[in-house]
Amino acid sequence: MSDLSDLPPQASWTDAAGCTHAGAVLHRVQGFDVVDCAHCGFRHVLPLPTPQALAEVYAHDYYRTEKPLYIERYLEDRDWWECVYTERYEWLEAALPATRRRLLDVGSGPGLFLASGRDRGWSVRGIEPSTQAARHSREQLGLDVVNGFLDADSAPTLGRHDVVHLGEVLEHLSDPAAMLRLAHDLLAPDGLLVLVVPNDDNPVQRIVHRHLGVAPWWVAPPHHLNYFDAASLAALVSRCGYTVEHQETTFPIDLFLLMGHHYIGDDAKGRQAHGWRKTLERNLHGAGAEGRQLLAGMRRAFAGLGMGREILLYARRSGD
C-alpha cells in the first residue's frame, strides 16, 4: 500500500458561481497552485483572478510591462508570420465555400493576421484589449479593430462571422469555456473556430524539468492561467458545441534545451533559438510543395508524440 505522504498535495477553491475547482497540485508558483481540475477537465491555477482584475492588466499593462518588446518583435518576424498565416488561411479556404470569408479575430494583437486575411480578400474584424496593439492595428494597418474584451456586452455588437479566430487567448482567461460559448454565438451555421494555445507540460518540457533540473518555465501565473494538452483542449471544445476537425502542433522549440542551448531567462539566446526555427520553416516554405509537405508531416509526427510548442485546432460549430 502506498504511503500517503508520497501522494501529491490536493487543493480546492470555490468560484463566485459556487463551482468547486479541485485536484492534485502539479506546481506551486508565485502564490498560485496549478491543479489538474476535475470540474474543468484541464489544468489551471488556483485561485483564479476575477474578470475585472484581468481586464485591468490586459487593457493597460500587459504589453507595457510584461511584454514591452512584443509589438516590435512581432513586426521583425513579419515574413515568418506571413508563412504561418498563409497556411492557416489556406486551410480555412479549403474548408469553406468561396462565398464565406467573414472573420473575427479575438485578441487580434498588432493585427498582422487580420492584414494577411484582408490581402487575400477576406472581410476581417478584430477585438483587442490592449490599447497599444489596437492603436497599431488601426493607425498603422488601417484595420477595423475594436479596443475591448469579447464579453456578453460586446458580443452582440460584432455581427456574425464564418470564422472566429482565437490565437493564444484561452490560456489567459479565468473561464475559457465561457469564451468558447460566446464564439459559438458569433459564428454563422457551420462556421469554423480556430484556436492556438501553448502545449504545456509536454514530454520535452517534463524531461527538461525532471532530468535537467530546470524549473517549470512554462508555468507563468497570473498571465497564463490554463494549461492544455491536445486531449483536454479537444474535450473542452467539444463540450462547448463544436466538432473538432483538425489538430496539429507547432515546432517543439523546447528541443533546443535538450541540445544544451539554455535559452530560458536569456533573451538573446531565446531570439537565437526562435531564429533557427524561423529559418527552418522559411526554407521549407521556399522549397515549394515538397518542402511544405515535409513540414506538414513533421508537425503531424510531433503531434503524435505529444510534442510541439503550441496546439493549433480547427473546429466547426455543431448543432445547426
Side-chain angles (χ1 to χ4, degrees), residues 146-163:
V146 176
N147 183 198
F149 286 83
L150 178 59
D151 54 26
D153 293 327
S154 63
T157 70
L158 296 171
R160 301 292 290 279
H161 303 271
D162 302 306
V163 176

Side-chain angles (χ1 to χ4, degrees), residues 11-274:
S12 66
W13 174 80
T14 302
D15 64 25
C19 297
T20 298
H21 303 265
V25 176
L26 307 174
H27 304 285
R28 283 185 164 150
V29 177
Q30 296 182 12
F32 291 90
D33 290 334
V34 178
V35 302
D36 197 356
C37 181
H39 173 74
C40 295
F42 55 86
R43 298 163 176 174
H44 63 75
V45 304
L46 295 180
L48 287 164
T50 65
Q52 294 78 13
L54 291 176
E56 182 64 24
V57 168
Y58 288 105
H60 304 294
D61 295 335
Y62 187 60
Y63 286 126
R64 185 169 62 241
T65 59
E66 184 68 15
K67 289 193 171 184
L69 297 177
Y70 177 76
I71 294 177
E72 176 186 335
R73 295 279 173 80
Y74 188 53
L75 296 175
E76 285 178 6
D77 296 341
R78 186 168 189 161
D79 58 343
W80 173 73
W81 279 118
E82 282 299 324
C83 294
V84 173
Y85 294 155
T86 293
E87 293 178 0
R88 210 166 291 176
Y89 278 108
E90 286 177 347
W91 197 99
L92 293 169
E93 288 164 3
L96 290 168
T99 54
R100 300 190 60 179
R101 295 292 185 266
R102 297 169 299 169
L103 180 142
L104 176 69
D105 192 7
V106 179
S108 54
L112 292 189
F113 181 69
L114 289 173
S116 181
R118 180 188 59 190
D119 294 345
R120 298 177 69 90
W122 285 69
S123 174
V124 298
R125 193 174 196 192
I127 182 166
E128 166 56 45
S130 163
T131 53
Q132 300 100 310
R135 185 183 305 116
H136 179 272
S137 298
R138 292 195 298 259
E139 296 179 1
Q140 303 300 317
L141 300 178
L143 293 164
D144 177 10
V145 172
V146 176
N147 183 198
F149 286 83
L150 178 59
D151 54 26
D153 293 327
S154 63
T157 70
L158 296 171
R160 301 292 290 279
H161 303 271
D162 302 306
V163 176
V164 173
H165 178 270
L166 295 103
E168 300 192 34
V169 171
L170 292 189
E171 65 270 23
H172 298 282
L173 305 178
S174 53
D175 189 353
M179 176 62 74
L180 293 178
R181 289 191 289 268
L182 282 173
H184 190 277
D185 293 341
L186 288 167
L187 281 169
D190 293 322
L192 290 168
L193 173 76
V194 185
L195 296 177
V196 182
V197 300
N199 180 32
D200 283 323
D201 204 27
N202 67 59
V204 177
Q205 290 175 331
R206 289 197 299 270
I207 289 171
V208 172
H209 169 49
R210 295 173 183 173
H211 299 283
L212 300 185
V214 179
W217 68 96
W218 65 91
V219 181
H223 296 293
H224 283 206
L225 305 177
N226 308 304
Y227 300 88
F228 298 101
D229 58 22
S232 64
L233 182 64
L236 173 64
V237 167
S238 298
R239 290 196 302 272
C240 292
Y242 302 87
T243 301
V244 176
E245 297 206 343
H246 178 74
Q247 276 186 289
E248 62 184 57
T249 56
T250 62
F251 181 82
I253 197 166
D254 324 88
L255 282 176
F256 291 124
L257 296 169
L258 289 176
M259 299 176 194
H261 187 74
H262 294 286
Y263 61 82
I264 303 301
D266 187 324
D267 182 69
K269 285 188 174 181
R271 289 297 291 174
Q272 187 177 37
H274 177 55

